[in-house]
């Protein structure tokens, strides 16, 4: 069954950010977490990521992902390295 295959969508674009909740809600039987691709997001938005301790340019998306993950009762995963 396709519902038995679990997925973790990765958000990497402005369009993905806008659609995060819809993605998680539409496929809630399969989505176990949501991840953030910071480098690809920065590229999509047209800025160079400043890899510092706090990365303020990524704060909005990181916060939004955490809130949506909590609302959907799934994992929130930050930028992989």
């Amino acid at each position: 069954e396709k519902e038995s295959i679990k997925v973790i969508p990765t958000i990497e674009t402005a369009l993905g950010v806008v659609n995060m909740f819809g993605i998680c809600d539409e496929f809630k039987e399969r989505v176990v977490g949501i991840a953030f691709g910071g480098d690809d997001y920065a590229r999509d938005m047209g800025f160079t990521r400043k890899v510092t301790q706090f990365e303020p340019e990524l704060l909005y998306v990181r916060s939004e992902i955490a809130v949506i993950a909590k609302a959907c009762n799934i994992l929130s995963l930050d930028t992989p390295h």
Side-chain angles (χ1 to χ4, degrees), residues 41 43 47 63 65:
Y41 171 76
R43 189 175 307 109
F47 65 83
S63 299
I65 286 177

Side-chain angles (χ1 to χ4, degrees), residues 11-47:
I11 303 303
E12 299 179 329
T13 64
L15 184 60
V17 172
V18 170
N19 290 303
M20 278 190 291
F21 180 78
I23 292 166
C24 293
D25 190 52
E26 178 73 22
F27 303 100
K28 58 185 157 208
E29 297 82 22
R30 298 179 63 197
V31 175
V32 296
I34 188 165
F36 177 46
D39 290 328
D40 290 325
Y41 171 76
R43 189 175 307 109
D44 182 62
M45 292 295 290
F47 65 83

